Amino acid sequence: MKKQLKVIMAGTTVFWGASIFNDPVQAIVFEKVPTTQTSSEKEHEDFSIYQDKTESKDVDGNLTTVGEIAEDQNKHNVLGVAGMFHIFLKETNISADTNGNVATKTYHSGNEFGTRGKIHNLTATKDVNYIEKIEDIGANAFRAQDQTVVVGKDSDNVQKQGNQVFVNGKRLDHLHAKDLRKEDEIHLGHKYIDIDREFKKLELNSNSFARNKQSEGMQVNFNDMNNRYIDVSNAKKDEFNNIYVDLDAQYLMAPQPITIKGISEKKRHQRLLLILEIVMRN
């Protein structure tokens, strides 16, 4: 029996409640819900990420704070604060070296992750990670050169000893004590990010975006498997500056890359949304 499931992808990171992708691609499973959900003043009081004064640089190289970047993402990124992370999940297991940062409720296992090299990161020089609960983690986790790590207030198995960090008595080779905080240290009694609430917002927004058809002027060419591309140069944007691409999810499962042409680094808050059609067979 076939089951069809639509998924929204935006940006360069992928999200699942339960992921079928091994690589960090952001995809959001959505359910049918009546309307989109926007941010509120109460949310800003509840989430301590907005109060985070940790200094960083934005994508333009300007000195700012993690909290200010989170504010900007919440206002202008369809993914909200989830768009600050390569992996944004409720439950996380990492089976391969992942060049990106993580936000998750529970980190079950996995050895290596952290943004390195010239990989795009919205917080530029500062790699931000949030793990509410760590069950087990490898010694090579948090491999970014400059990073800040926030764990849940009840993470008693995460300990500082001098300038070193230990989880379940095991030392983490790349994380220094000065770069680790519990969420209560930022805003007492508040979660750094309420991931359940963020996923509800993502589901609501996904349902709204999925109603849109592919933008006029879009070129999708997969005739040459070694030169697959999506060209949005002449695509017609909607009133919110969004561009929509309808895509069969099977094309993402192939090992060959897909090049997206026509997106300018000089244009801020430009959104490309891939509306994926996934067929699952029992």
Side-chain angles (χ1 to χ4, degrees), residues 248-268:
D248 191 320
Q250 66 173 326
Y251 293 117
L252 294 183
M253 308 305 289
Q256 296 84 357
I258 298 174
T259 300
I260 298 177
K261 303 179 180 181
I263 295 180
S264 173
E265 294 182 358
K266 297 179 181 179
K267 295 181 180 179
R268 298 288 303 277

Side-chain angles (χ1 to χ4, degrees), residues 98-110:
T98 300
N99 195 354
N101 60 339
V102 174
T104 186
K105 287 183 64 177
T106 304
Y107 191 95
H108 293 287
S109 65

Side-chain angles (χ1 to χ4, degrees), residues 40-228:
S40 65
E41 292 182 3
K42 186 177 186 304
E43 176 182 289
H44 285 63
E45 295 173 1
D46 288 346
F47 289 11
S48 63
I49 189 171
Y50 297 111
Q51 321 298 325
D52 194 341
K53 304 300 183 185
T54 303
E55 288 190 349
S56 183
K57 290 183 179 180
D58 62 20
V59 292
D60 297 318
N62 302 311
L63 187 63
T64 182
T65 67
V66 171
E68 289 172 344
I69 293 173
E71 289 275 7
D72 182 72
Q73 291 302 299
N74 192 55
K75 290 177 181 177
H76 299 112
N77 190 335
V78 63
L79 299 175
V81 295
M84 296 173 63
F85 301 90
H86 286 73
I87 295 176
F88 190 86
L89 292 171
K90 295 181 180 181
E91 312 287 331
T92 299
N93 291 281
I94 293 180
S95 58
D97 185 7
T98 300
N99 195 354
N101 60 339
V102 174
T104 186
K105 287 183 64 177
T106 304
Y107 191 95
H108 293 287
S109 65
N111 195 35
E112 300 183 27
F113 65 86
T115 309
R116 305 180 302 283
K118 296 183 179 180
I119 298 300
H120 177 68
N121 192 323
L122 286 171
T123 48
T125 56
K126 183 75 67 174
D127 210 36
V128 180
N129 292 277
Y130 172 56
I131 302 179
E132 189 172 340
K133 178 184 178 182
I134 301 177
E135 291 187 346
D136 190 27
I137 197 166
N140 283 325
F142 308 110
R143 290 181 59 186
Q145 186 173 1
D146 186 12
Q147 60 191 333
T148 182
V149 176
V150 179
V151 295
K153 62 183 178 64
D154 297 321
S155 298
D156 296 331
N157 63 331
V158 182
Q159 300 287 334
K160 298 179 182 179
Q161 295 182 24
N163 192 37
Q164 297 179 330
V165 177
F166 293 79
V167 177
N168 300 327
K170 179 170 51 182
R171 183 170 67 88
L172 303 184
D173 294 339
H174 305 284
L175 181 60
H176 302 296
K178 64 181 179 61
D179 299 321
L180 172 69
R181 294 168 295 166
K182 288 190 175 181
E183 54 194 356
D184 263 5
E185 298 175 35
I186 303 168
H187 195 181
L188 185 64
H190 294 77
K191 290 180 179 293
Y192 192 66
I193 302 171
D194 189 328
I195 290 178
D196 285 331
R197 187 189 296 186
E198 286 299 300
F199 262 97
K200 288 179 181 178
K201 288 170 56 181
L202 292 168
E203 290 171 358
L204 290 165
N205 287 331
S206 294
N207 186 64
S208 176
F209 287 121
R211 297 189 183 103
N212 292 275
K213 296 181 179 179
Q214 180 165 292
S215 302
E216 295 180 14
M218 183 74 59
Q219 291 187 38
V220 179
N221 191 327
F222 293 162
N223 293 332
D224 182 350
M225 286 299 293
N226 295 313
N227 186 29
R228 304 187 301 167

